[in-house]
Structure formats: C-alpha cells, structure tokens
C-alpha cells in the first residue's frame, strides 16, 4: 500500500484479555519498528525487525509482549493478560535500511 | 543523561518569525538524524532527515547537524499557526543499532 497501515485504530479490552495489533508496512520496506506512546509521553521503542528476524527486542517491557513478522511484511504485536498500564498508542513504522522511517496512524489501546 | 534531549517547551513564536528547535544526543557513533512533527492525537510525520555535518534546506525548513558538538537543530522560517505541533528529534545508528531513539519533543506554538 501507499503508507503504513495499522489495525485496529482503536481497541478497548478488559484487563486480563489478550490483544493482537497488526501492522502492514510500506511495500518493499525491509525494516519494521514498534513503538509505544503513553499519554503526553515520548516514543518508547519496543522491537525492531529486519526481514522476519528481530535483532533488537530490547524494549519489550515484559514477557507478556511478543511480536512476529511473516513474509518480510505484516507484523503482529501480541499483548497477553493485558494490564491497565498497557494502555497507550502503539505505533508501527517501516523503512528501507539506512533511510527514513514512516509511521502508521497507530492503534489506541485502552485496557479497562 | 538521556540519549536524546530536547527542551519540552512550549516554545512560542509570533507568526512569520523563525522558530529554532534544538536537540542534543549522547551517542557519538550515531549516523542518521531526523525531525518529525506530531500534531495532537496524530502519529509522527517525517519533516527532514540529515546525515552529514552542515545545513540541509527543504522549503521553510532547515536542519543543521554538528556531529562534533552532538547537536541537531531545526529552523522553521516564516512560521505559521499550522506549524503549531510537537517536534520530535530522532537519532539512529549509534552503538551498532538500527533503532530510532526519540527525544521527548518540543511543543511549538505559533501565535497569530
């Protein structure tokens, strides 16, 4: 597609449930990034993919968070047993290696 | 010391003036530098990238990089009320990593 696409745009879930967030990067972009932005805060790095591998997953906050990427394209971020502190906007970005990253519109996750 | 530091602002400038936004970074090995604009409730949008020392101009925007001083700046000429947003500085490529490290952003207010 023309830009990075994320779904859903908004997700409200009950505490303790699992959620899956999806990112469809710009076609041909080999690098894909997940960030999290809490209200009024900066961007917190979660994980970086190059192709289907994740050479840097240092930002995942706990083992409840996992991510995968298949076919060098779509990525899914899964949060298990959601907690209220997981509420944030989850942003996905993609880039060619060594170049600028472009962001999707984000998924706003609210845990109630 | 934060990896990427920005003044949180708000920086208020009158319409038509030059807005000057600054950013310092700690990793001397950083290779790539970016400025993003983020409107409230929206995802970051790329404005400029700069990879070598000196100035890079694009329309009303000029990015300046000084690797010796570990300093990046963004100048916005003829500021417009529509430029009012948070400006995020991002740095990439230090310490053998490909992730983008973001500052917490400077909020710019352009007064009509």
């Amino acid at each position: 597609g023309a830009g990075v696409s994320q779904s859903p745009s908004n997700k409200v879930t009950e505490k303790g449930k699992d959620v899956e967030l999806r990112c469809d990067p710009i076609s041909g972009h080999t690098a894909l990034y997940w960030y999290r932005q809490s209200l009024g805060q900066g961007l917190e790095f979660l994980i970086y993919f190059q192709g289907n591998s994740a050479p840097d997953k240092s930002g995942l906050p706990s083992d409840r968070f996992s991510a995968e990427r298949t076919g060098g394209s779509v990525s899914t971020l899964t949060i298990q047993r959601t907690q209220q502190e997981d509420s944030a906007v989850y942003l996905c970005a993609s880039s060619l290696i060594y170049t600028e990253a472009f962001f999707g519109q984000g998924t706003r996750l609210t845990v109630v | 010391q934060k990896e990427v530091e920005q003044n949180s602002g708000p920086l208020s400038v009158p319409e038509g003036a030059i807005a000057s936004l600054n950013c310092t970074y700690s990793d001397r090995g950083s290779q790539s530098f970016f400025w993003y604009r983020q409107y409230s409730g929206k995802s970051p949008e790329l404005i400029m990238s700069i990879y070598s020392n000196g100035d890079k101009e694009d329309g009303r925007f000029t990015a300046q990089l000084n690797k010796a001083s570990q300093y990046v700046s963004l100048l916005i000429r003829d500021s417009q009320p529509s430029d009012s947003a948070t400006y995020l500085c991002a740095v990439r490529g230090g310490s053998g990593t490909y992730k983008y490290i973001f500052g917490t952003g400077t909020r710019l207010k352009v007064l009509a």
Side-chain angles (χ1 to χ4, degrees):
Chain A
V4 179
S5 179
Q6 292 186 246
S7 60
S9 298
N10 280 284
K11 177 72 176 179
V12 180
T13 190
E14 292 181 353
K15 180 180 168 182
K17 295 281 177 79
D18 297 353
V19 294
E20 284 190 352
L21 312 180
R22 175 187 167 107
C23 174
D24 200 342
I26 293 171
S27 178
H29 278 191
T30 54
L32 185 148
Y33 309 81
W34 284 99
Y35 286 84
R36 178 169 75 172
Q37 190 172 34
S38 301
L39 191 63
Q41 303 298 310
L43 272 73
E44 176 189 5
F45 169 77
L46 297 178
I47 188 169
Y48 154 66
F49 286 94
Q50 179 56 37
N52 291 335
S53 337
D56 190 345
K57 51 179 85 169
S58 62
L60 294 177
S62 74
D63 58 8
R64 296 188 295 106
F65 288 72
S66 63
E68 65 173 11
R69 188 179 184 193
T70 54
S73 181
V74 172
S75 176
T76 303
L77 177 69
T78 302
I79 309 173
Q80 295 179 311
R81 305 181 303 282
T82 51
Q83 304 293 314
Q84 287 186 328
E85 63 260 28
D86 300 333
S87 296
V89 176
Y90 289 81
L91 292 160
C92 175
S94 71
S95 75
L96 296 169
I97 196 102
Y98 301 129
T99 66
E100 301 93 345
F102 296 90
F103 282 87
Q105 82 280 16
T107 294
R108 182 176 299 277
L109 176 65
T110 304
V111 182
V112 297
Chain B
Q1 182 191 7
K2 288 183 185 175
E3 292 179 273
V4 179
E5 293 210 49
Q6 297 181 255
N7 238 320
S8 58
L11 172 66
S12 295
V13 300
E15 184 175 357
I18 296 175
S20 178
L21 304 162
N22 305 313
C23 169
T24 57
Y25 59 95
S26 60
D27 191 331
R28 196 169 280 280
S30 300
Q31 301 289 320
S32 311
F33 308 86
F34 308 90
W35 284 99
Y36 287 82
R37 176 175 63 197
Q38 187 174 29
Y39 292 113
S40 182
K42 301 293 186 184
S43 63
E45 169 194 11
L46 179 71
I47 299 175
M48 297 275 295
S49 59
I50 186 165
Y51 301 97
S52 54
N53 280 328
D55 294 1
K56 180 181 177 183
E57 187 175 318
D58 184 0
R60 294 187 297 113
F61 300 97
T62 298
Q64 299 174 318
L65 174 61
N66 183 326
K67 287 188 179 179
S69 301
Q70 295 173 242
Y71 179 89
V72 195
S73 65
L74 179 71
L75 300 178
I76 307 174
R77 288 181 299 282
D78 188 24
S79 295
Q80 301 298 309
S82 58
D83 295 325
S84 298
T86 295
Y87 289 79
L88 302 169
C89 173
V91 172
R92 184 184 189 223
S95 303
T97 179
Y98 293 111
K99 69 184 179 190
Y100 297 77
I101 300 171
F102 285 83
T104 52
T106 298
R107 191 153 61 97
L108 174 67
K109 288 180 154 182
V110 181
L111 308 171

